[in-house]
Structures are given as structure tokens and as C-alpha cells.
Amino acid sequence: MSVFFTVALLAMALPSMAFDMSQSTRCVTIPNQMKVCKDVGYSEMRLPNFLGHTNLEAEVVPRSEDWRPLLQTGCHPQAQVFLCSLIAPVCLDTFIRPCRSLCVAVRDSCAPVLACQGQPWPEALDCDRFPAQEDMCLSPYSKSSHSAKDLPKPACQNCPSVEESPAMKTVLDAFCLHDFAVTAKIHRRRLPLGEPEFEVEGRVEFIRQGPLLPYDTRHLLQQWLLINLQCANILVRPGRSQFYVLTGFVQNDGTLALTRLFPWHKKDINMAVATRKWKHHRCLMD
């Protein structure tokens, strides 16, 4: 289980939402080390915050960092605004909490990511605890463009099959049977606290593009790794990089699922030949 989700949910188990808005508060500058909320759009926050934290260095900053991996998955475009409105509430003449509608929007998109790690949506973030009045709280913004809805989203899924040293025909068949096939280099580095971080290094090259978009695919695969941490742990050893051919589908609900992965080593001739042949060999379905 991810260290992040264990720590974060322990923090959320505190009786945080019993915050009394009549108590005395003070305004403090959001510190530079609080990177999760540093660029949220304002520079000062209230203490205690809406999670009941009173100490900036001992509570607020480390608890905010607990949520960084979830935010990196891009589970919802306003997840940072929602969480920071609780962790680092803006310092105004009145208390501004997130609206129930904003909580619901973030929960519906981000709870499946937590579920992928075997954890429920934190009870302290129960959306029924937030105000319904849209004019006295932070509400979801309306997207000016609907194009984002058409972009594939990474799926929480069972781990894809990883096949070492496949036959050339096996690889060619995978190219034919799947919506897309790409090559990508996956890197795993270890953070100071031992939490692994996965990233897609360099460019993602298309073998079969299918429904994927060139400008979105690297980010999409990055999100897949961060959501499917248990699978990512299998793909690359700590401190190493591995070059893969990844094949899969974009499903009817718009989610991307990886199905078969082939490690591509320098001496693997079958992979190189299969990729070259694909350029001159198309499936009958194409």
C-alpha cells in the first residue's frame, strides 16, 4: 500500500471538521515549502485551518505534502483549490469554505483514485458537511471548452501482462489487436521518505496512434503510473529506467487501459524487427 495514502488518511481521521468558526484566527503567509498551495492564487492563509491544524511547520506543511501524489494524478482540475481551501483557507474578512457541489465534483473524480489504492474517500471530507449556498462558498467553475471531456483518462485496472522476449509474431499481433501501441521509457526514483516516484522520460513514440493525441499521451501515461502504483512497482526497479512497448485500448467510457507490455532491451532483435515490419504491414481491419 502506498505510504502516501496511509499517512493522508490518518491525518483525515482527526476530528478536523469540528472547527469552530467563532474562535480566534490569525493570518500567516503561505510558506515557500508549502508547494501544494503556493500557486493557488493568494499569498496569505488563516490559522487554525478548516482541518483544525494550528501549527504551520508541524502540521499544515507536512499534511499538505501528503496530498501531492493525489494532485499529481490530475484526478480533477479543481482538486488543488478544494484541498487548499481547507488546508490553507484564504485570509479574508469572512470564512470561505468549499461548496458542497465542489466537494462532490472533486470526490466523484478523485475517490476512484483512492479506491485504486484500497482506500475510501476520507470521512472528514464528507460532502454533506459543506454548505450548499453557492454564493457564500467556493463553487465549481464552468469549463469554457468541452474538448477536455473528449481526452482519454487513465483507468484504475488490473495490472497488464508483461511479456519478456516475445516472438516477433506476438508483438505484431498485439499491434493489430489493440487500439494503440507506443514506446516509452519509464523511470523510477526514490524520494527521501522512501516513496517511489514514477515518470515517463523523454518522448513517447507512436507505433500505432489510434485514438491517442500526440500532445496528451506522455501526460496520460504519467497519470496512469501514478494512479496504478501497484502495477508501476512491478514495471521498474527502484532507481532504474526501463524502455517499454505499451499496447492497450481506449474503452467506451473514454478511459485508457494498458493490456500488454513488452520490455524492449538493446539486444532484443524481435522487437526491433516487429516494429519495422509494422511500418509496411497493416492489419486487414486498418
PDB file of all heavy atoms in Angstrom, residues 145-179:
ATOM      1  N   SER A 145     -14.324  25.306 -22.381  1.00  0.00           N
ATOM      2  CA  SER A 145     -14.143  24.407 -23.524  1.00  0.00           C
ATOM      3  C   SER A 145     -14.557  23.004 -23.131  1.00  0.00           C
ATOM      4  O   SER A 145     -14.310  22.556 -22.023  1.00  0.00           O
ATOM      5  CB  SER A 145     -12.665  24.404 -23.977  1.00  0.00           C
ATOM      6  OG  SER A 145     -12.455  23.402 -24.950  1.00  0.00           O
ATOM      7  N   HIS A 146     -15.181  22.316 -24.046  1.00  0.00           N
ATOM      8  CA  HIS A 146     -15.605  20.950 -23.776  1.00  0.00           C
ATOM      9  C   HIS A 146     -14.612  19.932 -24.326  1.00  0.00           C
ATOM     10  O   HIS A 146     -14.843  18.736 -24.228  1.00  0.00           O
ATOM     11  CB  HIS A 146     -16.989  20.696 -24.407  1.00  0.00           C
ATOM     12  CG  HIS A 146     -18.065  21.582 -23.847  1.00  0.00           C
ATOM     13  ND1 HIS A 146     -18.630  21.370 -22.610  1.00  0.00           N
ATOM     14  CD2 HIS A 146     -18.655  22.700 -24.359  1.00  0.00           C
ATOM     15  CE1 HIS A 146     -19.548  22.301 -22.378  1.00  0.00           C
ATOM     16  NE2 HIS A 146     -19.579  23.115 -23.408  1.00  0.00           N
ATOM     17  N   SER A 147     -13.492  20.385 -24.879  1.00  0.00           N
ATOM     18  CA  SER A 147     -12.557  19.466 -25.515  1.00  0.00           C
ATOM     19  C   SER A 147     -11.935  18.512 -24.520  1.00  0.00           C
ATOM     20  O   SER A 147     -11.609  17.373 -24.852  1.00  0.00           O
ATOM     21  CB  SER A 147     -11.460  20.249 -26.239  1.00  0.00           C
ATOM     22  OG  SER A 147     -10.738  21.063 -25.322  1.00  0.00           O
ATOM     23  N   ALA A 148     -11.755  18.961 -23.267  1.00  0.00           N
ATOM     24  CA  ALA A 148     -11.128  18.103 -22.264  1.00  0.00           C
ATOM     25  C   ALA A 148     -11.945  16.848 -22.006  1.00  0.00           C
ATOM     26  O   ALA A 148     -11.415  15.803 -21.636  1.00  0.00           O
ATOM     27  CB  ALA A 148     -10.921  18.882 -20.966  1.00  0.00           C
ATOM     28  N   LYS A 149     -13.266  16.956 -22.203  1.00  0.00           N
ATOM     29  CA  LYS A 149     -14.111  15.791 -21.991  1.00  0.00           C
ATOM     30  C   LYS A 149     -13.815  14.692 -22.996  1.00  0.00           C
ATOM     31  O   LYS A 149     -14.124  13.526 -22.762  1.00  0.00           O
ATOM     32  CB  LYS A 149     -15.592  16.207 -22.081  1.00  0.00           C
ATOM     33  CG  LYS A 149     -16.023  17.184 -20.982  1.00  0.00           C
ATOM     34  CD  LYS A 149     -17.502  17.516 -21.125  1.00  0.00           C
ATOM     35  CE  LYS A 149     -17.965  18.479 -20.031  1.00  0.00           C
ATOM     36  NZ  LYS A 149     -19.394  18.829 -20.163  1.00  0.00           N
ATOM     37  N   ASP A 150     -13.267  15.077 -24.144  1.00  0.00           N
ATOM     38  CA  ASP A 150     -13.012  14.106 -25.188  1.00  0.00           C
ATOM     39  C   ASP A 150     -11.656  13.430 -25.051  1.00  0.00           C
ATOM     40  O   ASP A 150     -11.363  12.487 -25.771  1.00  0.00           O
ATOM     41  CB  ASP A 150     -13.105  14.780 -26.560  1.00  0.00           C
ATOM     42  CG  ASP A 150     -14.478  15.401 -26.802  1.00  0.00           C
ATOM     43  OD1 ASP A 150     -15.469  14.816 -26.322  1.00  0.00           O
ATOM     44  OD2 ASP A 150     -14.544  16.459 -27.443  1.00  0.00           O
ATOM     45  N   LEU A 151     -10.802  13.918 -24.134  1.00  0.00           N
ATOM     46  CA  LEU A 151      -9.483  13.335 -23.962  1.00  0.00           C
ATOM     47  C   LEU A 151      -9.584  12.039 -23.171  1.00  0.00           C
ATOM     48  O   LEU A 151     -10.346  11.946 -22.210  1.00  0.00           O
ATOM     49  CB  LEU A 151      -8.557  14.314 -23.223  1.00  0.00           C
ATOM     50  CG  LEU A 151      -8.231  15.619 -23.933  1.00  0.00           C
ATOM     51  CD1 LEU A 151      -7.380  16.509 -23.039  1.00  0.00           C
ATOM     52  CD2 LEU A 151      -7.520  15.348 -25.255  1.00  0.00           C
ATOM     53  N   PRO A 152      -8.815  11.012 -23.541  1.00  0.00           N
ATOM     54  CA  PRO A 152      -8.816   9.774 -22.754  1.00  0.00           C
ATOM     55  C   PRO A 152      -8.347  10.036 -21.323  1.00  0.00           C
ATOM     56  O   PRO A 152      -7.533  10.926 -21.071  1.00  0.00           O
ATOM     57  CB  PRO A 152      -7.822   8.886 -23.507  1.00  0.00           C
ATOM     58  CG  PRO A 152      -7.744   9.456 -24.888  1.00  0.00           C
ATOM     59  CD  PRO A 152      -7.951  10.933 -24.724  1.00  0.00           C
ATOM     60  N   LYS A 153      -8.867   9.243 -20.394  1.00  0.00           N
ATOM     61  CA  LYS A 153      -8.478   9.311 -18.999  1.00  0.00           C
ATOM     62  C   LYS A 153      -7.876   7.963 -18.594  1.00  0.00           C
ATOM     63  O   LYS A 153      -8.332   6.921 -19.065  1.00  0.00           O
ATOM     64  CB  LYS A 153      -9.682   9.612 -18.105  1.00  0.00           C
ATOM     65  CG  LYS A 153     -10.443  10.877 -18.479  1.00  0.00           C
ATOM     66  CD  LYS A 153      -9.630  12.115 -18.171  1.00  0.00           C
ATOM     67  CE  LYS A 153     -10.443  13.374 -18.469  1.00  0.00           C
ATOM     68  NZ  LYS A 153      -9.660  14.613 -18.262  1.00  0.00           N
ATOM     69  N   PRO A 154      -6.865   7.964 -17.715  1.00  0.00           N
ATOM     70  CA  PRO A 154      -6.289   6.683 -17.295  1.00  0.00           C
ATOM     71  C   PRO A 154      -7.251   5.906 -16.407  1.00  0.00           C
ATOM     72  O   PRO A 154      -7.963   6.486 -15.589  1.00  0.00           O
ATOM     73  CB  PRO A 154      -5.030   7.103 -16.513  1.00  0.00           C
ATOM     74  CG  PRO A 154      -5.308   8.495 -16.062  1.00  0.00           C
ATOM     75  CD  PRO A 154      -6.171   9.123 -17.106  1.00  0.00           C
ATOM     76  N   ALA A 155      -7.288   4.600 -16.601  1.00  0.00           N
ATOM     77  CA  ALA A 155      -8.182   3.752 -15.820  1.00  0.00           C
ATOM     78  C   ALA A 155      -7.428   3.121 -14.660  1.00  0.00           C
ATOM     79  O   ALA A 155      -6.243   2.821 -14.754  1.00  0.00           O
ATOM     80  CB  ALA A 155      -8.770   2.657 -16.714  1.00  0.00           C
ATOM     81  N   CYS A 156      -8.143   2.924 -13.543  1.00  0.00           N
ATOM     82  CA  CYS A 156      -7.653   2.050 -12.475  1.00  0.00           C
ATOM     83  C   CYS A 156      -7.965   0.630 -12.932  1.00  0.00           C
ATOM     84  O   CYS A 156      -9.116   0.315 -13.246  1.00  0.00           O
ATOM     85  CB  CYS A 156      -8.353   2.385 -11.170  1.00  0.00           C
ATOM     86  SG  CYS A 156      -7.959   1.244  -9.817  1.00  0.00           S
ATOM     87  N   GLN A 157      -6.975  -0.219 -12.979  1.00  0.00           N
ATOM     88  CA  GLN A 157      -7.178  -1.512 -13.621  1.00  0.00           C
ATOM     89  C   GLN A 157      -6.312  -2.588 -12.993  1.00  0.00           C
ATOM     90  O   GLN A 157      -5.405  -2.306 -12.198  1.00  0.00           O
ATOM     91  CB  GLN A 157      -6.833  -1.395 -15.109  1.00  0.00           C
ATOM     92  CG  GLN A 157      -5.373  -1.002 -15.358  1.00  0.00           C
ATOM     93  CD  GLN A 157      -4.956  -1.143 -16.814  1.00  0.00           C
ATOM     94  OE1 GLN A 157      -5.013  -0.187 -17.563  1.00  0.00           O
ATOM     95  NE2 GLN A 157      -4.559  -2.358 -17.201  1.00  0.00           N
ATOM     96  N   ASN A 158      -6.606  -3.830 -13.364  1.00  0.00           N
ATOM     97  CA  ASN A 158      -5.703  -4.922 -13.037  1.00  0.00           C
ATOM     98  C   ASN A 158      -4.416  -4.724 -13.824  1.00  0.00           C
ATOM     99  O   ASN A 158      -4.426  -4.151 -14.923  1.00  0.00           O
ATOM    100  CB  ASN A 158      -6.332  -6.273 -13.385  1.00  0.00           C
ATOM    101  CG  ASN A 158      -7.543  -6.587 -12.534  1.00  0.00           C
ATOM    102  OD1 ASN A 158      -7.601  -6.210 -11.360  1.00  0.00           O
ATOM    103  ND2 ASN A 158      -8.520  -7.273 -13.110  1.00  0.00           N
ATOM    104  N   CYS A 159      -3.314  -5.198 -13.277  1.00  0.00           N
ATOM    105  CA  CYS A 159      -2.029  -4.960 -13.924  1.00  0.00           C
ATOM    106  C   CYS A 159      -1.977  -5.637 -15.292  1.00  0.00           C
ATOM    107  O   CYS A 159      -2.433  -6.779 -15.446  1.00  0.00           O
ATOM    108  CB  CYS A 159      -0.888  -5.470 -13.053  1.00  0.00           C
ATOM    109  SG  CYS A 159      -0.723  -4.556 -11.499  1.00  0.00           S
ATOM    110  N   PRO A 160      -1.437  -4.938 -16.299  1.00  0.00           N
ATOM    111  CA  PRO A 160      -1.341  -5.530 -17.643  1.00  0.00           C
ATOM    112  C   PRO A 160      -0.318  -6.651 -17.674  1.00  0.00           C
ATOM    113  O   PRO A 160       0.565  -6.756 -16.810  1.00  0.00           O
ATOM    114  CB  PRO A 160      -0.885  -4.341 -18.501  1.00  0.00           C
ATOM    115  CG  PRO A 160      -0.174  -3.436 -17.548  1.00  0.00           C
ATOM    116  CD  PRO A 160      -0.897  -3.576 -16.241  1.00  0.00           C
ATOM    117  N   SER A 161      -0.434  -7.477 -18.679  1.00  0.00           N
ATOM    118  CA  SER A 161       0.514  -8.565 -18.883  1.00  0.00           C
ATOM    119  C   SER A 161       1.860  -8.005 -19.344  1.00  0.00           C
ATOM    120  O   SER A 161       1.918  -7.154 -20.240  1.00  0.00           O
ATOM    121  CB  SER A 161      -0.037  -9.529 -19.944  1.00  0.00           C
ATOM    122  OG  SER A 161       0.939 -10.453 -20.351  1.00  0.00           O
ATOM    123  N   VAL A 162       2.946  -8.450 -18.720  1.00  0.00           N
ATOM    124  CA  VAL A 162       4.296  -8.054 -19.109  1.00  0.00           C
ATOM    125  C   VAL A 162       4.995  -9.281 -19.679  1.00  0.00           C
ATOM    126  O   VAL A 162       5.164 -10.288 -18.982  1.00  0.00           O
ATOM    127  CB  VAL A 162       5.095  -7.486 -17.916  1.00  0.00           C
ATOM    128  CG1 VAL A 162       6.508  -7.103 -18.345  1.00  0.00           C
ATOM    129  CG2 VAL A 162       4.380  -6.288 -17.316  1.00  0.00           C
ATOM    130  N   GLU A 163       5.393  -9.214 -20.941  1.00  0.00           N
ATOM    131  CA  GLU A 163       5.945 -10.374 -21.635  1.00  0.00           C
ATOM    132  C   GLU A 163       7.390 -10.113 -22.035  1.00  0.00           C
ATOM    133  O   GLU A 163       7.675  -9.255 -22.864  1.00  0.00           O
ATOM    134  CB  GLU A 163       5.098 -10.698 -22.859  1.00  0.00           C
ATOM    135  CG  GLU A 163       3.638 -10.983 -22.516  1.00  0.00           C
ATOM    136  CD  GLU A 163       2.795 -11.273 -23.745  1.00  0.00           C
ATOM    137  OE1 GLU A 163       3.212 -12.125 -24.551  1.00  0.00           O
ATOM    138  OE2 GLU A 163       1.742 -10.638 -23.899  1.00  0.00           O
ATOM    139  N   GLU A 164       8.301 -10.864 -21.424  1.00  0.00           N
ATOM    140  CA  GLU A 164       9.725 -10.759 -21.723  1.00  0.00           C
ATOM    141  C   GLU A 164      10.053 -11.547 -22.993  1.00  0.00           C
ATOM    142  O   GLU A 164       9.539 -12.651 -23.207  1.00  0.00           O
ATOM    143  CB  GLU A 164      10.556 -11.301 -20.556  1.00  0.00           C
ATOM    144  CG  GLU A 164      10.423 -10.512 -19.266  1.00  0.00           C
ATOM    145  CD  GLU A 164      11.334  -9.296 -19.246  1.00  0.00           C
ATOM    146  OE1 GLU A 164      12.155  -9.156 -20.172  1.00  0.00           O
ATOM    147  OE2 GLU A 164      11.226  -8.510 -18.291  1.00  0.00           O
ATOM    148  N   SER A 165      10.888 -10.981 -23.832  1.00  0.00           N
ATOM    149  CA  SER A 165      11.411 -11.646 -25.039  1.00  0.00           C
ATOM    150  C   SER A 165      10.315 -12.308 -25.871  1.00  0.00           C
ATOM    151  O   SER A 165      10.372 -13.512 -26.164  1.00  0.00           O
ATOM    152  CB  SER A 165      12.468 -12.683 -24.644  1.00  0.00           C
ATOM    153  OG  SER A 165      13.503 -12.089 -23.897  1.00  0.00           O
ATOM    154  N   PRO A 166       9.317 -11.563 -26.274  1.00  0.00           N
ATOM    155  CA  PRO A 166       8.242 -12.160 -27.069  1.00  0.00           C
ATOM    156  C   PRO A 166       8.701 -12.478 -28.485  1.00  0.00           C
ATOM    157  O   PRO A 166       9.654 -11.875 -29.004  1.00  0.00           O
ATOM    158  CB  PRO A 166       7.180 -11.066 -27.077  1.00  0.00           C
ATOM    159  CG  PRO A 166       7.974  -9.798 -26.987  1.00  0.00           C
ATOM    160  CD  PRO A 166       9.136 -10.110 -26.092  1.00  0.00           C
ATOM    161  N   ALA A 167       8.004 -13.404 -29.126  1.00  0.00           N
ATOM    162  CA  ALA A 167       8.263 -13.694 -30.530  1.00  0.00           C
ATOM    163  C   ALA A 167       7.801 -12.504 -31.371  1.00  0.00           C
ATOM    164  O   ALA A 167       6.922 -11.745 -30.971  1.00  0.00           O
ATOM    165  CB  ALA A 167       7.527 -14.958 -30.956  1.00  0.00           C
ATOM    166  N   MET A 168       8.399 -12.376 -32.542  1.00  0.00           N
ATOM    167  CA  MET A 168       8.065 -11.257 -33.411  1.00  0.00           C
ATOM    168  C   MET A 168       6.579 -11.253 -33.751  1.00  0.00           C
ATOM    169  O   MET A 168       5.920 -10.208 -33.742  1.00  0.00           O
ATOM    170  CB  MET A 168       8.894 -11.317 -34.692  1.00  0.00           C
ATOM    171  CG  MET A 168       8.633 -10.145 -35.642  1.00  0.00           C
ATOM    172  SD  MET A 168       9.520 -10.317 -37.203  1.00  0.00           S
ATOM    173  CE  MET A 168       8.699 -11.750 -37.900  1.00  0.00           C
ATOM    174  N   LYS A 169       6.020 -12.420 -34.057  1.00  0.00           N
ATOM    175  CA  LYS A 169       4.604 -12.502 -34.407  1.00  0.00           C
ATOM    176  C   LYS A 169       3.716 -12.081 -33.234  1.00  0.00           C
ATOM    177  O   LYS A 169       2.660 -11.473 -33.433  1.00  0.00           O
ATOM    178  CB  LYS A 169       4.248 -13.916 -34.844  1.00  0.00           C
ATOM    179  CG  LYS A 169       2.811 -14.038 -35.354  1.00  0.00           C
ATOM    180  CD  LYS A 169       2.502 -15.439 -35.836  1.00  0.00           C
ATOM    181  CE  LYS A 169       1.100 -15.511 -36.441  1.00  0.00           C
ATOM    182  NZ  LYS A 169       0.055 -15.081 -35.509  1.00  0.00           N
ATOM    183  N   THR A 170       4.138 -12.390 -32.017  1.00  0.00           N
ATOM    184  CA  THR A 170       3.369 -11.995 -30.831  1.00  0.00           C
ATOM    185  C   THR A 170       3.250 -10.478 -30.754  1.00  0.00           C
ATOM    186  O   THR A 170       2.179  -9.929 -30.465  1.00  0.00           O
ATOM    187  CB  THR A 170       4.044 -12.524 -29.553  1.00  0.00           C
ATOM    188  OG1 THR A 170       4.102 -13.957 -29.600  1.00  0.00           O
ATOM    189  CG2 THR A 170       3.284 -12.089 -28.305  1.00  0.00           C
ATOM    190  N   VAL A 171       4.342  -9.800 -31.039  1.00  0.00           N
ATOM    191  CA  VAL A 171       4.346  -8.339 -30.989  1.00  0.00           C
ATOM    192  C   VAL A 171       3.491  -7.767 -32.119  1.00  0.00           C
ATOM    193  O   VAL A 171       2.682  -6.856 -31.902  1.00  0.00           O
ATOM    194  CB  VAL A 171       5.778  -7.790 -31.071  1.00  0.00           C
ATOM    195  CG1 VAL A 171       5.774  -6.265 -31.015  1.00  0.00           C
ATOM    196  CG2 VAL A 171       6.633  -8.355 -29.943  1.00  0.00           C
ATOM    197  N   LEU A 172       3.640  -8.302 -33.329  1.00  0.00           N
ATOM    198  CA  LEU A 172       2.841  -7.819 -34.452  1.00  0.00           C
ATOM    199  C   LEU A 172       1.352  -8.029 -34.206  1.00  0.00           C
ATOM    200  O   LEU A 172       0.520  -7.161 -34.506  1.00  0.00           O
ATOM    201  CB  LEU A 172       3.261  -8.528 -35.742  1.00  0.00           C
ATOM    202  CG  LEU A 172       4.534  -8.014 -36.416  1.00  0.00           C
ATOM    203  CD1 LEU A 172       4.914  -8.919 -37.583  1.00  0.00           C
ATOM    204  CD2 LEU A 172       4.350  -6.587 -36.891  1.00  0.00           C
ATOM    205  N   ASP A 173       0.999  -9.187 -33.638  1.00  0.00           N
ATOM    206  CA  ASP A 173      -0.404  -9.446 -33.328  1.00  0.00           C
ATOM    207  C   ASP A 173      -0.932  -8.438 -32.313  1.00  0.00           C
ATOM    208  O   ASP A 173      -2.088  -7.987 -32.404  1.00  0.00           O
ATOM    209  CB  ASP A 173      -0.570 -10.868 -32.778  1.00  0.00           C
ATOM    210  CG  ASP A 173      -0.429 -11.932 -33.862  1.00  0.00           C
ATOM    211  OD1 ASP A 173      -0.475 -11.569 -35.056  1.00  0.00           O
ATOM    212  OD2 ASP A 173      -0.258 -13.112 -33.506  1.00  0.00           O
ATOM    213  N   ALA A 174      -0.095  -8.074 -31.342  1.00  0.00           N
ATOM    214  CA  ALA A 174      -0.512  -7.084 -30.337  1.00  0.00           C
ATOM    215  C   ALA A 174      -0.780  -5.734 -30.986  1.00  0.00           C
ATOM    216  O   ALA A 174      -1.728  -5.029 -30.623  1.00  0.00           O
ATOM    217  CB  ALA A 174       0.557  -6.957 -29.250  1.00  0.00           C
ATOM    218  N   PHE A 175       0.053  -5.360 -31.968  1.00  0.00           N
ATOM    219  CA  PHE A 175      -0.174  -4.108 -32.673  1.00  0.00           C
ATOM    220  C   PHE A 175      -1.514  -4.131 -33.398  1.00  0.00           C
ATOM    221  O   PHE A 175      -2.225  -3.119 -33.464  1.00  0.00           O
ATOM    222  CB  PHE A 175       0.948  -3.846 -33.682  1.00  0.00           C
ATOM    223  CG  PHE A 175       2.298  -3.623 -33.061  1.00  0.00           C
ATOM    224  CD1 PHE A 175       3.450  -3.698 -33.844  1.00  0.00           C
ATOM    225  CD2 PHE A 175       2.438  -3.336 -31.717  1.00  0.00           C
ATOM    226  CE1 PHE A 175       4.697  -3.478 -33.302  1.00  0.00           C
ATOM    227  CE2 PHE A 175       3.684  -3.126 -31.159  1.00  0.00           C
ATOM    228  CZ  PHE A 175       4.812  -3.198 -31.945  1.00  0.00           C
ATOM    229  N   CYS A 176      -1.865  -5.284 -33.936  1.00  0.00           N
ATOM    230  CA  CYS A 176      -3.111  -5.396 -34.701  1.00  0.00           C
ATOM    231  C   CYS A 176      -4.344  -5.411 -33.801  1.00  0.00           C
ATOM    232  O   CYS A 176      -5.382  -4.843 -34.157  1.00  0.00           O
ATOM    233  CB  CYS A 176      -3.098  -6.674 -35.533  1.00  0.00           C
ATOM    234  SG  CYS A 176      -2.020  -6.616 -36.987  1.00  0.00           S
ATOM    235  N   LEU A 177      -4.237  -6.066 -32.666  1.00  0.00           N
ATOM    236  CA  LEU A 177      -5.407  -6.326 -31.840  1.00  0.00           C
ATOM    237  C   LEU A 177      -5.753  -5.183 -30.888  1.00  0.00           C
ATOM    238  O   LEU A 177      -6.827  -5.191 -30.292  1.00  0.00           O
ATOM    239  CB  LEU A 177      -5.194  -7.614 -31.023  1.00  0.00           C
ATOM    240  CG  LEU A 177      -5.097  -8.907 -31.833  1.00  0.00           C
ATOM    241  CD1 LEU A 177      -4.731 -10.079 -30.930  1.00  0.00           C
ATOM    242  CD2 LEU A 177      -6.409  -9.184 -32.551  1.00  0.00           C
ATOM    243  N   HIS A 178      -4.859  -4.213 -30.739  1.00  0.00           N
ATOM    244  CA  HIS A 178      -5.099  -3.135 -29.781  1.00  0.00           C
ATOM    245  C   HIS A 178      -5.327  -1.798 -30.490  1.00  0.00           C
ATOM    246  O   HIS A 178      -4.950  -1.612 -31.640  1.00  0.00           O
ATOM    247  CB  HIS A 178      -3.923  -3.027 -28.810  1.00  0.00           C
ATOM    248  CG  HIS A 178      -3.798  -4.218 -27.895  1.00  0.00           C
ATOM    249  ND1 HIS A 178      -3.075  -5.321 -28.231  1.00  0.00           N
ATOM    250  CD2 HIS A 178      -4.328  -4.446 -26.665  1.00  0.00           C
ATOM    251  CE1 HIS A 178      -3.155  -6.209 -27.244  1.00  0.00           C
ATOM    252  NE2 HIS A 178      -3.899  -5.708 -26.278  1.00  0.00           N
ATOM    253  N   ASP A 179      -5.931  -0.884 -29.754  1.00  0.00           N
ATOM    254  CA  ASP A 179      -6.213   0.444 -30.307  1.00  0.00           C
ATOM    255  C   ASP A 179      -4.944   1.232 -30.576  1.00  0.00           C
ATOM    256  O   ASP A 179      -4.893   2.038 -31.506  1.00  0.00           O
ATOM    257  CB  ASP A 179      -7.079   1.260 -29.334  1.00  0.00           C
ATOM    258  CG  ASP A 179      -8.508   0.770 -29.262  1.00  0.00           C
ATOM    259  OD1 ASP A 179      -8.918   0.036 -30.182  1.00  0.00           O
ATOM    260  OD2 ASP A 179      -9.199   1.125 -28.292  1.00  0.00           O
TER     261      ASP A 179
END
